[in-house]
Amino acid sequence: MFRMVVERRRLESRVRSRTRQAIIRAAVEVLGVDSAASLSDIADAAGVSRTTVHRYFAERADLLEAISQDALERFALGAERADLDTGSAAEALDRLCQELFELGDVVLLLFSEPQLITGSEWEEENDADRAMRRVVERGHREGAIDQELSPSWVAEIVWHLLYAAWRHTKDGASKHESLRLCLHSLHKLITPATR
């Protein structure tokens, strides 16, 4: 009996987690198209009732905060999967761009709604930031990244090129071509000039 109760609670917890994630993903999609979309629009896109959305997120601000936190977690996971401490700096940056490219919808939303990226979590250096800094420093030592480009500047270049690639995809280009252009441009921008 006890085992059945524990198993039922685990199942309910997984269902709640999936529902919460479905609402967040739907919100990213809907708000990315229309930042003034209502919670009803988001509920429709998630396939749940508005009451269900309110059960998980009492206020719109709570949902926006959840989107922000989810984005941070997804970026950290992408950086972790990119295994930035392995291989050459150029290879590591390529892997990072490939991982982050898959997060296009959420990043497009964050770029268009900058209030989502405020708060201490966004301002504090995290593991992904430190890994990126190590990649750039390694690239400086390897001679693959121009010494004039600081780690924070290279990070800005990466994010802006990814944004351009996502916009290019939204304008009808294939994902493959957009990512190829992003990586090509990145290498052109960070490689030291030869005299």
Side-chain angles (χ1 to χ4, degrees), residues 79-124:
E80 184 180 316
R81 281 195 306 255
D83 193 17
L84 296 177
D85 292 321
T86 303
S88 72
E91 293 166 343
L93 286 176
D94 282 357
R95 288 191 306 272
L96 178 64
C97 287
Q98 291 166 9
E99 289 291 339
L100 296 179
F101 186 76
E102 295 305 316
L103 306 178
D105 285 344
V106 71
V107 176
L108 286 174
L109 176 62
L110 295 175
F111 266 81
S112 65
E113 300 293 329
Q115 76 274 9
L116 292 175
I117 55 175
T118 59
S120 62
E121 297 90 0
W122 286 96
E123 294 168 10
E124 294 171 4

Side-chain angles (χ1 to χ4, degrees), residues 115-175:
Q115 76 274 9
L116 292 175
I117 55 175
T118 59
S120 62
E121 297 90 0
W122 286 96
E123 294 168 10
E124 294 171 4
E125 186 178 55
N126 57 39
D127 290 341
D129 297 326
R130 286 185 283 279
M132 171 70 105
R133 182 173 23 82
R134 287 192 304 272
V135 167
V136 175
E137 290 167 351
R138 190 166 76 243
H140 288 157
R141 289 190 304 274
E142 293 170 355
I145 297 177
D146 189 325
Q147 300 254 346
E148 293 291 316
L149 305 178
S150 69
S152 61
W153 187 254
V154 173
E156 290 288 334
I157 290 170
V158 167
W159 284 114
H160 284 83
L161 284 173
L162 283 168
Y163 177 79
W166 292 314
R167 290 290 341 146
H168 195 54
T169 301
K170 289 286 185 189
D171 291 339
S174 73
K175 288 176 76 172

